[in-house]
């Protein structure tokens, strides 16, 4: 605990919490107020941590939609509790992380989902092109506290740290004005939860290493690579039984399964039959849904606001998926994306006079201005020659509405 409350660790934790931003907890304090709060109260917080009297606040429960359907329950700690968790993470990570398996990639320094996917590709290229895809049912909600603390206690002997972690695990949530204590799970939403999940699932990694399996684990997503269908089915049954017995977790039978690597997705990617990394069809469908939402006709925003929304999202999306070697399906969508953008601007020009003025302003003259008086719908007009010339690919690019191929060419 003395290492956690040093001035150097405090400064680093403050920067991390401010950088990560995030929603306020039950006390409604935003991250922008954390620094001034610590200036006034840090010595009290520090003294409580050293005396083992610090009491976390209940978390705020927030449901968010999952990309695959359904919802995920996030538990949002107060900003001060996030800061205290960050203090712990920064001293615990250098202790635990070096002991984790080389096949574990999630929430670890210097490792990423892209690293995991490249490792998966290497396993397939080595002839293990059957995959055992294991999905744990609501993993973060069902972590067993006794098992977790039993894995931490032999390494961390400072009882103040152990008690504080236990308090964070058991504190519970504020629901309808009442505190509902937690008897299992490690709440998603704070910086401590990812590290605790890796500590918990390290037992699975050790078991798979002992069995000599080729696998990649990213948090609770685990794929095991084998050489045949029979081996895949045996492995799934055996590992599922081990997880349910030793970790007291349930494997989701509906989402888990076996198949060739080009039949199963992993972290949003999927290998094709040539074992090249591509973007999973499910990821492309989510991409299309987001495009439709961002360019829906009833959205009211200035061109600057549109650019300010589009650019960070597109850069972030491409930053994740630029690993893909097979980009054909994505680049085929670009004409469709531009049609959505042109449809949006056509609707924003409102009426025939407004459309005529907009087309003139964008360099359309003569008979080509007749398009402004068309009674056709916006989606049809988005591929009209005059509209395409006015809002050409080059014009959209110059205006800041770039697409994945533009980002790919820029690198």
């Amino acid at each position: 605990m003395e290492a956690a409350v040093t001035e150097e660790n405090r400064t680093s934790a403050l920067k991390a919490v401010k950088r990560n931003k995030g929603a306020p907890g039950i006390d409604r304090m935003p991250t922008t107020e954390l620094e001034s709060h610590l200036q006034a109260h840090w010595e009290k917080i520090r003294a409580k941590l050293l005396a083992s009297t610090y009491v976390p606040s209940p978390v705020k429960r927030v449901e968010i939609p999952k990309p695959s359907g359904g919802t995920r329950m996030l538990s949002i700690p107060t900003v001060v509790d996030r800061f205290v968790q960050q203090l712990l993470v920064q001293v615990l990570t250098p202790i635990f992380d070096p002991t984790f398996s080389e096949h574990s990639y999630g929430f670890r320094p210097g490792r990423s989902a892209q690293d995991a996917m490249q490792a998966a590709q290497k396993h397939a290229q080595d002839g293990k092109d059957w995959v055992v895809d294991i999905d744990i049912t609501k993993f973060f909600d069902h972590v067993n506290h006794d098992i977790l603390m039993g894995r931490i206690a032999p390494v961390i002997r400072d009882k103040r740290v152990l008690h504080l972690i236990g308090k964070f695990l058991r504190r519970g949530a504020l629901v309808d004005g009442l505190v509902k204590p937690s008897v299992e799970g490690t709440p998603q939403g704070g910086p401590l939860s990812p590290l605790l999940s890796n500590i918990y699932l390290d037992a699975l990694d050790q078991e798979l290493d002992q069995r000599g399996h080729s696998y990649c684990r990213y948090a609770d997503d685990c794929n095991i690579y084998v050489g045949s269908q029979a081996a895949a089915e045996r492995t799934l049954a055996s590992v599922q039984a081990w997880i349910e017995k030793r970790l007291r977790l349930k494997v989701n039978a509906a989402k888990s399964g076996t198949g060739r690597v080009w039949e199963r997705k992993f972290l949003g990617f999927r290998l094709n039959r040539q074992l090249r990394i591509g973007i999973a069809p499910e990821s492309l469908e989510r991409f299309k849904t987001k495009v439709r939402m961002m360019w829906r006709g009833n959205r009211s925003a200035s061109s600057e606001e549109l650019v300010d929304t589009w650019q960070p999202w597109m850069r972030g999306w491409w930053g994740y998926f630029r690993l893909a070697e097979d980009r054909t399906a994505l680049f085929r969508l670009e004409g469709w994306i531009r049609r959505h953008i042109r449809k949006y601007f056509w609707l924003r020009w409102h009426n025939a006079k407004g459309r005529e003025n907009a087309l003139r302003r964008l360099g359309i003259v003569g008979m080509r201005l007749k398009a402004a008086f068309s009674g056709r719908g916006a989606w049809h007009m988005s591929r009209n020659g005059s509209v395409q010339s006015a809002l050409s690919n080059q014009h959209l690019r110059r205006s800041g509405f770039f697409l994945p191929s533009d980002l790919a060419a820029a690198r």
Side-chain angles (χ1 to χ4, degrees):
M1 189 62 78
E2 279 77 10
V5 299
T6 63
E7 186 62 24
E8 181 182 4
N9 200 50
R10 184 192 76 87
T11 301
S12 179
L14 172 61
K15 288 180 180 178
V17 174
K18 289 171 65 177
R19 181 174 62 247
N20 293 333
K21 298 180 181 179
I26 61 170
D27 63 356
R28 300 183 181 178
M29 181 193 294
T31 54
T32 52
E33 294 180 10
L34 177 60
E35 186 168 7
S36 60
H37 181 85
L38 291 177
Q39 287 174 351
H41 301 286
W42 166 240
E43 288 305 322
K44 284 184 181 178
I45 295 171
R46 182 178 183 274
K48 288 181 179 180
L49 291 171
L50 291 171
S52 199
T53 57
Y54 183 86
V55 178
S57 300
V59 297
K60 180 171 72 175
R61 287 283 172 85
V62 178
E63 278 191 331
I64 61 169
K66 295 173 67 174
S68 56
T71 60
R72 172 182 288 116
M73 185 68 72
L74 282 187
S75 301
I76 311 298
T78 65
V79 172
V80 174
D81 282 345
R82 293 211 292 273
F83 165 76
V84 172
Q85 289 188 27
Q86 187 66 34
L87 291 176
L88 292 179
V89 167
Q90 290 173 180
V91 295
L92 293 175
T93 297
I95 297 170
F96 282 99
D97 193 77
T99 70
F100 291 154
S101 169
E102 62 176 311
H103 305 294
S104 166
Y105 294 90
F107 310 128
R108 296 185 61 191
R111 288 174 164 247
S112 66
Q114 290 77 11
D115 295 329
M117 191 61 219
Q118 287 177 316
Q121 181 186 39
K122 180 67 166 56
H123 293 319
Q125 289 171 340
D126 289 342
K128 297 180 178 181
D129 59 1
W130 282 87
V131 61
V132 179
D133 184 358
I134 296 174
D135 183 277
I136 298 174
T137 302
K138 294 188 176 180
F139 164 72
F140 287 93
D141 295 337
H142 296 300
V143 165
N144 182 282
H145 291 172
D146 291 337
I147 294 176
L148 175 59
M149 296 307 296
R151 296 192 62 82
I152 298 173
V155 181
I156 305 300
R157 299 301 179 90
D158 190 330
K159 291 184 178 179
R160 295 168 298 178
V161 174
L162 297 176
H163 288 161
L164 184 55
I165 293 173
K167 289 176 185 176
F168 277 119
L169 290 173
R170 296 186 301 271
R171 188 63 178 102
L174 189 65
V175 179
D176 297 329
L178 298 174
V179 176
K180 183 179 179 182
S182 175
V183 295
E184 64 177 357
T186 173
Q188 286 180 273
L192 189 57
S193 182
L195 176 61
L196 297 182
S197 71
N198 273 331
I199 293 172
Y200 197 86
L201 289 174
D202 186 57
L204 172 61
D205 297 341
Q206 291 178 22
E207 178 66 16
L208 296 178
D209 287 336
Q210 187 174 342
R211 296 184 185 192
H213 281 307
S214 298
Y215 69 96
C216 298
R217 184 178 66 77
Y218 190 95
D220 56 330
D221 286 330
C222 184
N223 278 7
I224 306 168
Y225 298 88
V226 296
S228 69
Q229 181 178 6
E233 291 173 353
R234 283 197 309 270
T235 300
L236 176 59
S238 174
V239 173
Q240 177 175 343
W242 188 93
I243 289 172
E244 294 182 351
K245 179 180 180 182
R246 299 298 181 87
L247 298 183
R248 299 185 194 174
L249 298 169
K250 289 291 183 183
V251 172
N252 188 326
K255 293 184 178 180
S256 301
T258 64
R260 307 303 285 269
V261 291
W262 50 84
E263 297 171 340
R264 310 288 300 195
K265 65 181 176 66
F266 184 46
L267 303 175
F269 296 96
R270 193 170 76 177
L271 295 173
N272 64 18
R273 288 179 179 269
Q274 291 73 45
L275 305 185
R276 299 175 71 222
I277 298 171
I279 303 170
E282 298 91 336
S283 299
L284 288 175
E285 285 303 313
R286 288 196 292 271
F287 176 85
K288 290 168 69 176
T289 299
K290 181 69 172 181
V291 169
R292 291 189 190 100
M293 184 186 75
M294 294 182 77
W295 294 104
R296 63 190 185 277
N298 62 354
R299 182 183 179 194
S300 177
S302 67
S303 295
E304 292 77 12
E305 289 170 336
L306 290 167
V307 171
D308 289 345
T309 303
W310 179 258
Q311 285 192 0
W313 176 71
M314 180 53 65
R315 282 199 179 100
W317 193 92
W318 179 249
Y320 185 88
F321 284 106
R322 70 171 183 256
L323 177 68
E325 301 163 312
D326 181 0
R327 301 171 178 178
T328 306
L330 174 63
F331 289 166
R332 279 179 185 159
L333 286 175
E334 295 201 345
W336 175 84
I337 297 169
R338 291 189 181 99
R339 280 194 71 181
H340 273 278
I341 298 174
R342 292 178 183 125
K343 175 204 72 175
Y344 176 87
F345 282 103
W346 180 261
L347 289 169
R348 202 169 77 167
W349 295 336
H350 298 302
N351 53 38
K353 189 61 178 175
R355 288 163 184 162
E356 182 184 21
N357 290 338
L359 291 174
R360 283 186 189 278
R361 190 171 64 251
L362 292 166
I364 305 302
V365 297
M367 294 296 291
R368 300 187 71 194
L369 288 170
K370 290 175 63 177
F373 302 92
S374 173
R376 295 292 194 107
W379 184 247
H380 177 88
M381 293 306 296
S382 67
R383 65 178 180 183
N384 174 273
S386 296
V387 177
Q388 287 189 335
S389 296
L391 298 172
S392 66
N393 295 357
Q394 293 78 9
H395 175 82
L396 293 177
R397 195 176 295 121
R398 285 196 304 269
S399 299
F401 301 115
F402 46 67
L403 298 182
S405 61
D406 302 319
L407 293 168
R411 292 185 177 275

